[in-house]
Amino acid sequence: MKMRRFMATGVALAMAAGLLSACGGGGGSSSPAPTPVPTKGQTGKVIQGPVSGATVWADSLEGGAKFTIDANESASKTTTSLDGTFQLPVQPSYKHIIVSQGGTDTLTNQPASTMLAPAGAKACSPLTTLVTLDTSGTLAAKINALLPAGTSFDSDLSASNALSPAALLLLKSIETTVMALNTTITTVAGSGKISPAQQSNIQLLTYSKITEQLNSMTSTEIQTPSLLATGLTTAVTNSITAINTTTSSNVTISNVPAVAAAVATNAVASAAQVVGAATSNAALQSVTAANVSTSTTAVTATSSVTEATALNPSAVIALNNSVNTIVTTQSGSVVATQTPTNYIPPPIPVVQNPTITGMALSVLPSSSNWSISSFTITFSDDMLASTTTGANSVLNPANYILAPAVCTPSTYAAKVVTFSCPATALLTSGSILSVTVKKTVSSTTNAQMLVDYSKTFTIPAATTGSTGGSGTVLF
């Protein structure tokens, strides 16, 4: 009886062609080697508005330069389509995060910032960037509390009814803050003087300082324009201080309090106007950079709105005018020259939560169907597995959803969970086996996955026309 094994790494169905072994049986000939199937990796969407033309890759957390495509990472590189979607060419076996650089925000027609996302996230956006940079592990829950039920920080906020007014205020304030500071510096320096690597670092450094500041704020403070502006002013101040003191940096910003206040207040005012127009909130529509410090009412509306529908032409103009105002009024405070070749970016910490680095499914032909011979899941870290009932154990069946097959985790060793599947769990050719690992599973250091991890396997058509023989075929 022939066995075909379908191997997946991460969220992909990773396949390598090759006949490993075969021996004669019943006088027939051995099965021919199968045609290779291209390896495919994680799918997702880059959102700042849908981002077209961004470079996306899996950035290793186990070595190499952060936020740079190292030699071992180049195979995972891809480019987003017009609607921001992407699929990694391969799913890496190393522990990683997703990085998106470059591209164009198709809603505003402006350059998109560098953004990050946890491995397995459904989207890469400013919100996933904050969570990826949050080493405290507390910000995801705070952001999720601003979103409607059934959505989370890695939801597609541009294409579904996912954004509450409070979340939209936060999202657009952050986007505009990061873009405004970067644009101010690059505009003053002149064309080509700030390298793409330094621009990316300035953006991620600003995201990182915003993350630190949001961790110290309450939900009410985040939802109140004046208090959000105050918090973002502190974050930008800290970001500028880091930029000024970076080894080999060619950027110096004076009059830091004024620059930081201009960036933050204009960003929050523009975001408030966008949210106010989208939700018909007159109080928010009246917020300006001049009066944002007195706008003390929290955004409490419960209706949902998408980023795409909120960013109508007038909203886009407001956001762009906000950036232009900052650049115009603060340009005298910025001095920048050509990025030196020995530029050394400051370290930016990212999360080290466990991820899934592999799945392997083996199926056997059973009449016109397929039965599951074996199924395993490989994690990036040593996981909790001391009990089959613990809420965070990888051996707890409640932490997995398999449809339509009924398989349960049975053993764990060397970061690999092996499942037991009954012989009656049959899969028809062309059917889909869906696998979800819940983010509640934890490592032995009590770190949880940041997102639920989902993978689908397409069951192949039955092979006909061969007789006899046996062996194992991997592809």
Side-chain angles (χ1 to χ4, degrees), residues 108-471:
T108 64
N109 202 33
Q110 297 293 315
S113 64
T114 294
M115 292 178 283
L116 314 174
K122 297 185 291 292
C124 183
S125 73
L127 297 185
T128 65
T129 303
L130 298 179
V131 173
T132 307
L133 295 171
D134 174 32
T135 56
S136 74
T138 61
L139 191 54
K142 192 176 292 186
I143 292 174
N144 289 345
L146 303 178
L147 296 167
T151 58
S152 67
F153 70 90
D154 72 322
S155 295
D156 182 353
L157 305 179
S158 67
S160 61
N161 208 32
L163 278 178
S164 68
L168 186 58
L169 174 67
L170 176 65
L171 175 63
K172 301 316 296 182
S173 295
I174 291 169
E175 282 183 16
T176 309
T177 295
V178 172
M179 182 175 68
L181 182 59
N182 180 76
T183 303
T184 298
I185 294 171
T186 55
T187 300
V188 171
S191 177
K193 289 187 177 180
I194 305 297
S195 69
Q198 190 177 8
Q199 284 193 56
S200 177
N201 187 252
I202 289 170
Q203 294 160 10
L204 290 179
L205 184 61
T206 307
Y207 274 121
S208 180
K209 298 304 179 183
I210 291 173
T211 298
E212 293 174 3
Q213 187 61 31
L214 292 178
N215 271 328
S216 68
M217 299 172 65
T218 66
S219 294
T220 298
E221 290 172 333
I222 291 174
Q223 296 176 66
T224 305
S226 61
L227 301 179
L228 178 59
T230 299
L232 290 180
T233 297
T234 300
V236 175
T237 298
N238 294 337
S239 179
I240 292 174
T241 300
I243 292 169
N244 284 343
T245 58
T246 297
T247 303
S248 302
S249 175
N250 63 324
V251 177
T252 302
I253 303 175
S254 60
N255 200 17
V256 175
V259 174
V263 170
T265 55
N266 278 279
V268 173
S270 297
Q273 292 164 14
V274 168
V275 176
T279 60
S280 301
N281 186 312
L284 287 178
Q285 291 183 68
S286 66
V287 173
T288 66
N291 69 15
V292 70
S293 61
T294 61
S295 303
T296 57
T297 302
V299 182
T300 56
T302 57
S303 61
S304 298
V305 62
T306 68
E307 183 181 23
T309 57
L311 283 180
N312 54 44
S314 61
V316 172
I317 291 172
L319 291 171
N320 292 342
N321 284 344
S322 176
V323 175
N324 292 335
T325 298
I326 297 167
V327 173
T328 301
T329 59
Q330 301 303 323
S331 59
S333 301
V334 181
V335 176
T337 56
Q338 187 77 34
T339 301
T341 56
N342 64 339
Y343 170 72
I344 303 174
I348 300 175
V350 296
V351 294
Q352 295 285 330
N353 298 71
T355 60
I356 291 174
T357 58
M359 284 189 183
L361 173 68
S362 300
V363 293
L364 289 167
S366 177
S367 184
S368 60
N369 298 317
W370 298 86
S371 63
I372 298 176
S373 172
S374 67
F375 177 56
T376 60
I377 297 177
T378 304
F379 290 84
S380 62
D381 295 58
D382 292 320
M383 305 298 287
L384 290 176
S386 58
T387 174
T388 60
T389 58
N392 306 119
S393 172
V394 292
L395 291 179
N396 186 344
N399 285 322
Y400 305 91
I401 301 173
L402 279 77
V406 180
C407 299
T408 56
S410 55
T411 61
Y412 173 80
K415 303 179 183 179
V416 178
V417 178
T418 299
F419 286 72
S420 175
C421 305
T424 54
L426 300 179
L427 304 169
T428 59
S429 296
S431 65
I432 301 295
L433 173 63
S434 173
V435 182
T436 297
V437 183
K438 296 183 180 179
K439 62 185 178 183
T440 45
V441 294
S442 298
S443 68
T444 53
T445 60
N446 294 316
Q448 293 186 351
M449 296 202 307
L450 286 173
V451 295
D452 290 346
Y453 180 102
S454 296
K455 162 71 188 153
T456 58
F457 294 88
T458 301
I459 307 305
T463 302
T464 59
S466 61
T467 60
S470 64

